[in-house]
């Protein structure tokens, strides 16, 4: 399965599924879709709703 990176629209933090978020109990290999709904950006505290897929950002889709 292809796991996509997601970018925080507020601070620019990139969630990398291969790295996970071990400090918050998210093991490496966790896709963004599988993050708990209450997961927040480690940098600015934004919710999942504020994240956008890396491909969409880099593709310049508006
Ligand atoms: Zn953020």
């Amino acid at each position: 399965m292809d796991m996509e990176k997601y970018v925080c629209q507020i601070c620019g933090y990139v969630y990398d599924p291969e790295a996970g978020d071990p400090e918050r109990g998210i093991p490496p290999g966790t896709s963004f879709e599988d993050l708990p709904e209450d997961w927040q950006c480690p940098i600015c505290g934004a919710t999942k709703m504020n994240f956008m897929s890396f491909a969409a950002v880099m593709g310049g889709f508006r």
Side-chain angles (χ1 to χ4, degrees):
M1 216 176 8
D2 213 20
M3 289 193 296
E4 217 170 353
K5 292 180 182 176
Y6 274 74
V7 184
C8 175
Q9 294 295 283
I10 297 177
C11 72
Y13 167 81
V14 177
Y15 175 75
D16 183 352
E18 288 178 23
D21 186 9
E23 284 183 24
R24 288 171 179 246
I26 309 296
T30 303
S31 70
F32 185 80
E33 287 81 2
D34 288 339
L35 289 172
E37 285 305 314
D38 61 354
W39 182 84
Q40 294 177 322
C41 173
I43 307 293
C44 71
T47 63
K48 288 177 74 178
M49 307 250 311
N50 294 106
F51 278 73
M52 198 174 179
S53 86
F54 197 70
V57 173
M58 296 322 263
F61 297 120
R62 292 265 166 191

